[in-house]
Every structure is written in C-alpha cells, then in structure tokens.
Amino acid sequence: MEQLALVAQALSEPVRLRILALLPAEMKCEEMYNVSELAEELGISQPVVSRHLALLKRSGLVTCERMCQSVYYAIDRQKAAQAVAEMARLLQTDA
C-alpha cells in the first residue's frame, strides 16, 4: 500500500504528469530526455525537474540510465502497469 500511495503522490502533480507524457516507454536513445532537455521542453528550471524526477523514480514509474555524460529517463512500463493494476483492484467494488 505504501508504494501505491507513493505512485498516487507522484501522479498528483501536473508537472510530473507532463514529464511522464514526454518520456518514452522504452529506453530508445533518440526518444529519451535528460534533465536539461526536460527543463527546456517544460520551461522550468533543472533543479525543479530533478526534484520531480526523483519522486517519479522513488514511485517506480520512471527508470534511468547513464549514457555518455548524462542520465536519461524513460517510463518503467512494467512497474507502471503493476501500479495501475493494483490501483484498479483497490478501487473495484462489488456492484
């Protein structure tokens, strides 16, 4: 339940939702963003983007990989799908 609460917290901020909308669902170099690129795309500072990415990583929704001199981010599809399935089970009612 604690992990699900962290996912809900991660999804509760419009900037984090915008970040998720930009990130690819697979680690493909040409589609991935680093912090600087995300900051430029979103029009916000790098430290703010970094804080949002840190929470998205803690929630398990985002993964990262160091390539060359940067860290690039993508959605962790497996963990995101698990979180969605768990949320759906929690919200199911016997009608």
Side-chain angles (χ1 to χ4, degrees), residues 2 9 14-16 24-25 32-33 36 40 46-47 59 82 93:
E2 290 175 25
Q9 179 185 6
V15 171
R16 289 191 288 273
M32 294 170 57
Y33 286 87
S36 298
E40 184 176 327
Q46 289 181 14
S59 74
Q82 289 171 346
T93 60

Side-chain angles (χ1 to χ4, degrees), residues 30-50:
E30 64 276 358
E31 296 176 11
M32 294 170 57
Y33 286 87
N34 64 24
V35 174
S36 298
E37 294 165 339
L38 281 169
E40 184 176 327
E41 184 75 29
L42 296 166
I44 56 179
S45 71
Q46 289 181 14
V48 171
V49 172
S50 291

Side-chain angles (χ1 to χ4, degrees), residues 8 21 23 34 45-46 48 52-53 57 63 65 68 74 78-79 81:
L23 294 180
N34 64 24
S45 71
Q46 289 181 14
V48 171
H52 286 300
L53 285 169
K57 276 185 64 181
T63 188
E65 186 173 312
C68 300
Q78 182 179 1
K79 288 184 182 175

Side-chain angles (χ1 to χ4, degrees), residues 59-85:
S59 74
L61 294 173
V62 168
T63 188
C64 64
E65 186 173 312
R66 179 170 290 282
M67 292 185 272
C68 300
Q69 299 296 321
S70 289
V71 176
Y72 290 89
Y73 295 85
I75 294 173
D76 187 324
R77 291 190 309 170
Q78 182 179 1
K79 288 184 182 175
Q82 289 171 346
V84 169

